[in-house]
mmCIF file of all heavy atoms in Angstrom:
data_model
loop_
_atom_site.group_PDB
_atom_site.id
_atom_site.type_symbol
_atom_site.label_atom_id
_atom_site.label_comp_id
_atom_site.label_asym_id
_atom_site.label_seq_id
_atom_site.Cartn_x
_atom_site.Cartn_y
_atom_site.Cartn_z
ATOM 1 N N THR A 211 -16.175 5.023 10.919
ATOM 2 C CA THR A 211 -17.305 5.633 10.217
ATOM 3 C C THR A 211 -17.218 5.309 8.733
ATOM 4 O O THR A 211 -16.250 4.707 8.266
ATOM 5 C CB THR A 211 -17.314 7.159 10.387
ATOM 6 O OG1 THR A 211 -16.177 7.711 9.698
ATOM 7 C CG2 THR A 211 -17.250 7.564 11.855
ATOM 8 N N ALA A 212 -18.237 5.755 8.007
ATOM 9 C CA ALA A 212 -18.245 5.543 6.557
ATOM 10 C C ALA A 212 -17.045 6.214 5.892
ATOM 11 O O ALA A 212 -16.564 5.771 4.854
ATOM 12 C CB ALA A 212 -19.546 6.060 5.965
ATOM 13 N N GLY A 213 -16.540 7.278 6.495
ATOM 14 C CA GLY A 213 -15.404 7.991 5.912
ATOM 15 C C GLY A 213 -14.057 7.496 6.385
ATOM 16 O O GLY A 213 -13.015 8.036 5.985
ATOM 17 N N SER A 214 -14.033 6.467 7.247
ATOM 18 C CA SER A 214 -12.765 5.953 7.772
ATOM 19 C C SER A 214 -11.966 5.259 6.681
ATOM 20 O O SER A 214 -12.523 4.605 5.799
ATOM 21 C CB SER A 214 -13.025 4.964 8.912
ATOM 22 O OG SER A 214 -13.663 5.586 10.000
ATOM 23 N N SER A 215 -10.672 5.395 6.766
ATOM 24 C CA SER A 215 -9.784 4.732 5.826
ATOM 25 C C SER A 215 -9.354 3.391 6.418
ATOM 26 O O SER A 215 -8.710 3.338 7.462
ATOM 27 C CB SER A 215 -8.561 5.603 5.546
ATOM 28 O OG SER A 215 -7.633 4.922 4.739
ATOM 29 N N GLY A 216 -9.744 2.291 5.776
ATOM 30 C CA GLY A 216 -9.341 0.979 6.253
ATOM 31 C C GLY A 216 -10.328 0.353 7.216
ATOM 32 O O GLY A 216 -11.472 0.787 7.363
ATOM 33 N N SER A 217 -9.850 -0.670 7.903
ATOM 34 C CA SER A 217 -10.695 -1.494 8.763
ATOM 35 C C SER A 217 -10.735 -0.955 10.185
ATOM 36 O O SER A 217 -10.075 0.036 10.523
ATOM 37 C CB SER A 217 -10.149 -2.922 8.796
ATOM 38 O OG SER A 217 -8.903 -2.948 9.485
ATOM 39 N N ALA A 218 -11.497 -1.652 11.038
ATOM 40 C CA ALA A 218 -11.536 -1.303 12.463
ATOM 41 C C ALA A 218 -10.144 -1.424 13.073
ATOM 42 O O ALA A 218 -9.741 -0.594 13.902
ATOM 43 C CB ALA A 218 -12.519 -2.223 13.182
ATOM 44 N N PHE A 219 -9.379 -2.436 12.660
ATOM 45 C CA PHE A 219 -8.020 -2.588 13.176
ATOM 46 C C PHE A 219 -7.156 -1.383 12.822
ATOM 47 O O PHE A 219 -6.369 -0.898 13.632
ATOM 48 C CB PHE A 219 -7.379 -3.859 12.599
ATOM 49 C CG PHE A 219 -8.044 -5.143 13.011
ATOM 50 C CD1 PHE A 219 -8.707 -5.923 12.079
ATOM 51 C CD2 PHE A 219 -7.991 -5.586 14.320
ATOM 52 C CE1 PHE A 219 -9.305 -7.118 12.447
ATOM 53 C CE2 PHE A 219 -8.580 -6.782 14.704
ATOM 54 C CZ PHE A 219 -9.249 -7.545 13.760
ATOM 55 N N ASP A 220 -7.289 -0.916 11.594
ATOM 56 C CA ASP A 220 -6.480 0.220 11.131
ATOM 57 C C ASP A 220 -6.701 1.460 11.984
ATOM 58 O O ASP A 220 -5.773 2.247 12.215
ATOM 59 C CB ASP A 220 -6.795 0.542 9.667
ATOM 60 C CG ASP A 220 -6.354 -0.554 8.719
ATOM 61 O OD1 ASP A 220 -5.265 -1.111 8.939
ATOM 62 O OD2 ASP A 220 -7.097 -0.856 7.767
ATOM 63 N N GLN A 221 -7.934 1.663 12.461
ATOM 64 C CA GLN A 221 -8.235 2.862 13.256
ATOM 65 C C GLN A 221 -7.473 2.857 14.578
ATOM 66 O O GLN A 221 -7.266 3.909 15.194
ATOM 67 C CB GLN A 221 -9.739 2.970 13.537
ATOM 68 C CG GLN A 221 -10.640 2.868 12.325
ATOM 69 C CD GLN A 221 -10.147 3.705 11.151
ATOM 70 O OE1 GLN A 221 -9.922 4.911 11.286
ATOM 71 N NE2 GLN A 221 -9.982 3.066 9.997
ATOM 72 N N LEU A 222 -7.061 1.664 15.017
ATOM 73 C CA LEU A 222 -6.320 1.533 16.275
ATOM 74 C C LEU A 222 -4.819 1.392 16.059
ATOM 75 O O LEU A 222 -4.064 1.213 17.012
ATOM 76 C CB LEU A 222 -6.844 0.315 17.047
ATOM 77 C CG LEU A 222 -8.323 0.385 17.456
ATOM 78 C CD1 LEU A 222 -8.817 -0.992 17.895
ATOM 79 C CD2 LEU A 222 -8.537 1.398 18.568
ATOM 80 N N GLY A 223 -4.391 1.468 14.798
ATOM 81 C CA GLY A 223 -2.964 1.374 14.488
ATOM 82 C C GLY A 223 -2.460 -0.032 14.263
ATOM 83 O O GLY A 223 -1.250 -0.250 14.171
ATOM 84 N N LEU A 224 -3.376 -1.012 14.166
ATOM 85 C CA LEU A 224 -2.992 -2.414 13.993
ATOM 86 C C LEU A 224 -3.009 -2.787 12.513
ATOM 87 O O LEU A 224 -4.037 -2.649 11.852
ATOM 88 C CB LEU A 224 -3.960 -3.316 14.763
ATOM 89 C CG LEU A 224 -4.022 -3.086 16.277
ATOM 90 C CD1 LEU A 224 -5.217 -3.825 16.870
ATOM 91 C CD2 LEU A 224 -2.726 -3.530 16.945
ATOM 92 N N ALA A 225 -1.884 -3.258 11.998
ATOM 93 C CA ALA A 225 -1.806 -3.676 10.593
ATOM 94 C C ALA A 225 -2.673 -4.908 10.394
ATOM 95 O O ALA A 225 -2.656 -5.837 11.202
ATOM 96 C CB ALA A 225 -0.358 -3.986 10.224
ATOM 97 N N SER A 226 -3.473 -4.913 9.328
ATOM 98 C CA SER A 226 -4.390 -6.039 9.129
ATOM 99 C C SER A 226 -4.947 -6.027 7.716
ATOM 100 O O SER A 226 -4.697 -5.119 6.929
ATOM 101 C CB SER A 226 -5.556 -5.934 10.110
ATOM 102 O OG SER A 226 -6.408 -4.870 9.741
ATOM 103 N N GLY A 227 -5.786 -7.022 7.451
ATOM 104 C CA GLY A 227 -6.604 -7.005 6.245
ATOM 105 C C GLY A 227 -7.785 -6.062 6.449
ATOM 106 O O GLY A 227 -7.974 -5.518 7.537
ATOM 107 N N GLY A 228 -8.599 -5.886 5.432
ATOM 108 C CA GLY A 228 -9.620 -4.850 5.501
ATOM 109 C C GLY A 228 -11.058 -5.304 5.549
ATOM 110 O O GLY A 228 -11.963 -4.507 5.320
ATOM 111 N N SER A 229 -11.338 -6.594 5.867
ATOM 112 C CA SER A 229 -12.722 -7.052 5.761
ATOM 113 C C SER A 229 -13.614 -6.590 6.906
ATOM 114 O O SER A 229 -14.833 -6.552 6.757
ATOM 115 C CB SER A 229 -12.767 -8.579 5.640
ATOM 116 O OG SER A 229 -12.261 -9.196 6.799
ATOM 117 N N ASP A 230 -13.033 -6.258 8.063
ATOM 118 C CA ASP A 230 -13.846 -5.716 9.164
ATOM 119 C C ASP A 230 -13.959 -4.206 8.985
ATOM 120 O O ASP A 230 -13.440 -3.413 9.773
ATOM 121 C CB ASP A 230 -13.245 -6.095 10.518
ATOM 122 C CG ASP A 230 -13.727 -7.453 10.976
ATOM 123 O OD1 ASP A 230 -14.948 -7.629 11.102
ATOM 124 O OD2 ASP A 230 -12.887 -8.349 11.189
ATOM 125 N N SER A 231 -14.694 -3.827 7.955
ATOM 126 C CA SER A 231 -14.844 -2.433 7.559
ATOM 127 C C SER A 231 -16.213 -1.895 7.954
ATOM 128 O O SER A 231 -17.127 -2.656 8.296
ATOM 129 C CB SER A 231 -14.686 -2.310 6.045
ATOM 130 O OG SER A 231 -15.728 -3.037 5.397
ATOM 131 N N PHE A 232 -16.367 -0.586 7.872
ATOM 132 C CA PHE A 232 -17.667 0.023 8.158
ATOM 133 C C PHE A 232 -18.725 -0.497 7.189
ATOM 134 O O PHE A 232 -19.865 -0.764 7.589
ATOM 135 C CB PHE A 232 -17.575 1.552 8.053
ATOM 136 C CG PHE A 232 -18.880 2.237 8.338
ATOM 137 C CD1 PHE A 232 -19.255 2.561 9.627
ATOM 138 C CD2 PHE A 232 -19.762 2.554 7.300
ATOM 139 C CE1 PHE A 232 -20.481 3.176 9.895
ATOM 140 C CE2 PHE A 232 -20.985 3.163 7.547
ATOM 141 C CZ PHE A 232 -21.345 3.484 8.858
ATOM 142 N N VAL A 233 -18.357 -0.651 5.939
ATOM 143 C CA VAL A 233 -19.318 -1.116 4.929
ATOM 144 C C VAL A 233 -19.866 -2.498 5.298
ATOM 145 O O VAL A 233 -21.079 -2.732 5.271
ATOM 146 C CB VAL A 233 -18.662 -1.146 3.530
ATOM 147 C CG1 VAL A 233 -19.564 -1.851 2.524
ATOM 148 C CG2 VAL A 233 -18.366 0.275 3.050
ATOM 149 N N ASN A 234 -18.969 -3.424 5.658
ATOM 150 C CA ASN A 234 -19.419 -4.775 6.008
ATOM 151 C C ASN A 234 -20.233 -4.796 7.292
ATOM 152 O O ASN A 234 -21.244 -5.492 7.392
ATOM 153 C CB ASN A 234 -18.222 -5.719 6.114
ATOM 154 C CG ASN A 234 -17.683 -6.130 4.763
ATOM 155 O OD1 ASN A 234 -18.362 -6.018 3.742
ATOM 156 N ND2 ASN A 234 -16.445 -6.594 4.734
ATOM 157 N N TRP A 235 -19.783 -4.052 8.288
ATOM 158 C CA TRP A 235 -20.516 -4.020 9.557
ATOM 159 C C TRP A 235 -21.895 -3.378 9.369
ATOM 160 O O TRP A 235 -22.898 -3.883 9.863
ATOM 161 C CB TRP A 235 -19.713 -3.266 10.607
ATOM 162 C CG TRP A 235 -18.552 -4.035 11.153
ATOM 163 C CD1 TRP A 235 -18.054 -5.225 10.692
ATOM 164 C CD2 TRP A 235 -17.728 -3.671 12.263
ATOM 165 N NE1 TRP A 235 -16.978 -5.623 11.445
ATOM 166 C CE2 TRP A 235 -16.747 -4.701 12.415
ATOM 167 C CE3 TRP A 235 -17.696 -2.588 13.134
ATOM 168 C CZ2 TRP A 235 -15.775 -4.665 13.417
ATOM 169 C CZ3 TRP A 235 -16.725 -2.546 14.136
ATOM 170 C CH2 TRP A 235 -15.775 -3.569 14.277
ATOM 171 N N SER A 236 -21.936 -2.271 8.663
ATOM 172 C CA SER A 236 -23.206 -1.600 8.420
ATOM 173 C C SER A 236 -24.158 -2.499 7.641
ATOM 174 O O SER A 236 -25.358 -2.588 7.948
ATOM 175 C CB SER A 236 -22.961 -0.291 7.650
ATOM 176 O OG SER A 236 -24.171 0.345 7.345
ATOM 177 N N GLY A 237 -23.635 -3.205 6.642
ATOM 178 C CA GLY A 237 -24.456 -4.114 5.856
ATOM 179 C C GLY A 237 -25.024 -5.245 6.689
ATOM 180 O O GLY A 237 -26.180 -5.649 6.512
ATOM 181 N N ALA A 238 -24.224 -5.761 7.620
ATOM 182 C CA ALA A 238 -24.713 -6.824 8.508
ATOM 183 C C ALA A 238 -25.818 -6.297 9.416
ATOM 184 O O ALA A 238 -26.816 -6.989 9.664
ATOM 185 C CB ALA A 238 -23.565 -7.386 9.338
ATOM 186 N N ASP A 239 -25.651 -5.090 9.916
ATOM 187 C CA ASP A 239 -26.685 -4.504 10.783
ATOM 188 C C ASP A 239 -28.018 -4.356 10.048
ATOM 189 O O ASP A 239 -29.061 -4.792 10.536
ATOM 190 C CB ASP A 239 -26.234 -3.128 11.302
ATOM 191 C CG ASP A 239 -25.385 -3.229 12.567
ATOM 192 O OD1 ASP A 239 -25.584 -4.190 13.340
ATOM 193 O OD2 ASP A 239 -24.535 -2.356 12.782
#
């Protein structure tokens, strides 16, 4: 969600970079 900390990977416990974020996904939509 917009309030999530980090990327989609982070929400699942996977260490990663942060470009697959809610902001980027929402902007693409």
Side-chain angles (χ1 to χ4, degrees):
T211 67
S214 297
S215 174
S217 69
F219 296 113
D220 293 320
Q221 308 315 305
L222 298 166
L224 300 168
S226 71
S229 64
D230 274 302
S231 63
F232 180 86
V233 170
N234 284 341
W235 285 9
S236 177
D239 274 331

